[in-house]
Amino acid sequence: MDTDSQEYHSSQEASSQLIDGEESEQDTFKILVATDNHLGYLEKDPVRGDDSFNAFEEILQQAVKSEVDMILLGGDLFHENKPSRKAMHVTSKLLKKYCMGDKPVSLEYLSEPSDNFSEGIETVNYMDANLNVSIPVFSIHGNHDDPSGEGNLCALDLLAMNGLVNYFGRSPAIDNVIVKPILLQKGVSRLALFGIGNIRDERLHQTFLRRNVKLMRPLDEDSEESWYNLLVLHQNRVMHGPKNYIPENFLDDFIHLVIWGHEHECLIDPVYNPQQHFHVSQPGSSVATSLCEGESRTKHVAILKICKNKFSIEKIRLTSVRPFIMSDITLADHGLDPTKPNKVSSFISKRIRELVQEAKDDWVAKNGRTSRKRRMYSEGDDSEDEEAASESNNGEIVVPKPLVRLRVEYSGGFEIFNPQRFGSEFIELVANPRDIVQFYRKKTGNATKTAPTAKAEMDAVDKIEKLDTARVENLVQKYLAAQHLSILPENELEDAVRIYVEKDEKDAVKDFVAASLGRMQKAMQTRQNIEIEEALLKEINKEKEQQAIIYARENPNGGSLNHKRSTQNDDTSMDVDDEEEESDHKEKAKSPAPKGKGRAAKSTLAAPKAAPARAAASASRSRVAKGKKVLADDSQEEGATSDKGHGGGDDDDDYEAPKIKTSGSSTTHVILDIDEDSGDDFLTPKRGVGKGKGKGRATSPVKPKATPAKQTAAAKKAAATASSGGASGGGTSSTARGRTPARVGASQTSQGPSSFVSAIGSRKKKLPGT
């Protein structure tokens, strides 16, 4: 990169940073950001069982102390896909304790609820007249708490239905992801909050390559402050395989800031991406769920401030997190005798005690003698008044038992010992006595091992690590490779076992066996005069192979047990396309898509053809305001050209027109439209009021779509009614009398967009392109 380009990117990065004193409180969003809370992790452990709840309570306390406007969570709120009753109870208790109250919420909600939330959620929780919410919580799902099972629900759905969180970012179809933002306003600052809940990385990677991920960008207006676009997602950021991650250049360049969940290492300071011109912040987890180097970093949450088109991040260290220290030693470097295992064991034991003391000293140095209440639960005592950093009778500070991991490189003839038996010596000193020590050997150039004892040692050490990283379907596949099943298709069995293990679907295998036997019995009943056993077995095997082929064809990305799970299953295995299609994508990925100011969401990778922003071009939509019926036409989709064979077409009757409904408090929601004339995927927000407590009401449900003929007839009838009403002097539209406004027929959509009247005033606005 040349000097001029570097100076440009540096100035651009600096211009987006919010400097102290620049913001005004009434125009500044103040958001507490956290990810990967993993509530319920090791909840049955007598020492570490409450660590996740303690950290989460500290996060909520910090939100109250900092007087934030909202809390944004980046996925994996729960550790288990089906949290225990204790986990759900404690989480609900904490949210009610710290996020409910009489404090007014100064955020205007400008979106259509049906665009952001699940069915049955009528509006954001702080606008629900039956709830008193002081700090709204917005959260996407992660890979641990993703929707699954019957009804395709997750734990966040339960919290959302009870008004405790605002759950967003779930895509109905994982192979065609359309993301509509939550539109919020505070003063003159406007925020578009995009959310992408976890989808299996291989599948989402492939969906990006196919240009089937679309972020519906809100349209900036000259008379208004531009939108600040904030994206939160929960995916692999680090490459774990060719397609087992999401590159940053896949994301659209109109995004200003990305909150990246799923990665547990705390890298919360924003990093500027000069290619995509956005910042990335990775808050990391609030509780250590594995003993690795990334988890040993200091845990933080962030206070994000957004004023107009600038932002700032203040990181806050979590003080309730259990201390964690890691170290490596190489036995051969310390002059130890491999023939004296007792001395080797004593040396390792001494080193562990030193690490324990280092962890305690570091914890005291960071926390000092600050009196800090233990969170909801404590080790051995349920009292909420117990102090984690209290002083004992002799004045000594009580420090939580630390997590310690010592990696021991034992090449050079040293023998390993049982880590669990060895750890019993430190039960009173550390929180993880069973896995303090991890033995490993450095990889050498000699790939073959001649000594059987060396191979046995390696197998003993690597077995646990291999099991930790192995996938269930791969283990089942290796096992079935040595077997021969007569009736059950192996590929479907692999998926059933995986769903049973990963999603805790206890009936997955049973349902699969019952379905397979039923299909086989039905198929065999159609075959007549099979009396020889060998012929019967041959027919059974033929039918099994046919069922396996059908299953693989219908589930190219892995099975989902359709009677138990819906298309949102994002943990199924991802089969990539054939080599020819992959090479085609790679060739086209080399040339980035053109960028431009004011352009819509564009993937940086070229695709064989442009994917439509919706299933079909939207029909003309009716707007009603103060007894007046005004029609707004939407033009053609992006990618819809005069050639109908390239993704275009005028399927005007395939889209249900949303309608504005005003409440008694003059509150209205913003309808998100698409401006297809501009060739991009824009959302046109309609101005509305959404601030206050208990002021909002949900919009009326969308009426069933009508055919073009019915639309035209309805339009004529409405026009006749309006003209007759005008002649009589009443001037009352059909909507004012309680009837649904007429929609424009398909034949009328070619006239171009027309103006509409805002539901909160008679001021007219123009759709883009007029």
Side-chain angles (χ1 to χ4, degrees), residues 705-716:
K705 59 188 178 183
T707 60
K710 291 182 179 180
Q711 292 173 350
T712 306
K716 292 179 179 179

Side-chain angles (χ1 to χ4, degrees), residues 316-327:
I316 300 175
R317 183 175 59 85
L318 296 177
T319 60
S320 63
V321 176
R322 189 177 297 277
F324 179 18
I325 189 170
M326 283 192 68
S327 181

Side-chain angles (χ1 to χ4, degrees), residues 174-239:
I174 57 179
D175 294 325
N176 185 28
V177 180
I178 299 177
V179 184
K180 299 178 182 179
I182 294 177
L183 301 182
L184 301 171
Q185 183 163 350
K186 184 178 181 182
V188 298
S189 299
R190 303 196 297 173
L191 173 65
L193 177 58
F194 297 85
I196 302 178
N198 179 265
I199 299 175
R200 187 178 175 92
D201 290 287
E202 295 92 337
R203 176 172 290 173
L204 185 60
H205 190 110
Q206 193 76 354
T207 306
F208 268 108
L209 291 178
R210 293 171 177 166
R211 289 290 307 278
N212 284 341
V213 178
K214 284 184 175 274
L215 274 62
M216 309 305 293
R217 180 181 181 181
L219 182 64
D220 291 329
E221 300 175 5
D222 296 336
S223 60
E224 300 282 354
E225 187 67 35
S226 61
W227 291 93
Y228 190 88
N229 300 302
L230 173 63
L231 170 65
V232 54
L233 77 163
H234 191 98
Q235 304 292 153
N236 280 336
R237 186 182 179 191
V238 180
M239 180 187 295

